[in-house]
């Protein structure tokens, strides 16, 4: 796999973070978990998910993007991820799958 220079990511609405969130939502949208599931993109504030799939059963599959570059996430960044996860569970009680996207291998 080719290395990607995430620090060179083109901005969206003036922000690389927003561009990464947009990219993650576009990738999530390309992978429906079932036929006719509803895809929903959140805005700011995102309630712990950038976007999610709502299945016919009512279950939700959420995606959260964190634009953390520069190597292994720091303890502060892990705290941000944990905070987003807790917020997602509180705001989306039907959440049964949670994908965290960071621009790292």
């Amino acid at each position: 796999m080719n290395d990607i220079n995430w620090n060179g990511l083109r901005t969206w609405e003036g922000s690389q973070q927003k561009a990464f969130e947009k990219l993650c939502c576009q990738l999530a949208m390309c992978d429906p978990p079932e036929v006719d599931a509803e895809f929903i993109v959140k805005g700011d504030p995102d309630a712990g998910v950038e976007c999610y799939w709502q299945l016919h059963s009512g279950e939700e599959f959420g995606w959260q993007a964190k634009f953390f570059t520069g190597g292994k996430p720091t303890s502060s960044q892990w705290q941000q991820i944990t905070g987003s996860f807790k917020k997602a569970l509180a705001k989306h009680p039907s959440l049964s799958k949670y994908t965290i996207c960071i621009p790292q291998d």
Side-chain angles (χ1 to χ4, degrees):
M1 175 183 222
N2 294 333
D3 289 331
I4 297 173
N5 177 7
W6 290 104
N7 292 315
L9 182 65
R10 186 179 69 184
T11 63
W12 177 265
E13 296 179 351
S15 166
Q16 285 182 313
Q17 178 178 331
K18 287 190 179 287
F20 186 70
E21 292 169 0
K22 180 84 168 168
L23 173 63
C24 292
C25 289
Q26 289 172 339
L27 292 172
M29 185 175 57
C30 292
D31 190 23
E34 66 182 19
V35 176
D36 295 331
E38 182 179 2
F39 186 70
I40 299 162
V41 177
K42 305 282 289 209
D44 289 329
D46 64 19
V49 293
E50 309 302 340
C51 56
Y52 63 98
W53 282 102
Q54 188 162 43
L55 284 64
H56 299 290
S57 66
E59 285 180 274
E60 295 176 357
F61 290 1
W63 289 56
Q64 175 65 10
K66 295 292 185 187
F67 189 63
F68 299 153
T69 60
K72 181 179 173 182
T74 65
S75 60
S76 172
Q77 291 170 331
W78 277 113
Q79 288 175 355
Q80 289 180 49
I81 291 169
T82 300
S84 291
F85 180 64
K86 288 179 179 179
K87 188 184 298 183
L89 288 177
K91 300 289 185 177
H92 293 268
S94 298
L95 192 66
S96 63
K97 185 176 179 181
Y98 192 69
T99 301
I100 300 165
C101 305
I102 58 174
Q104 299 181 35
D105 185 3

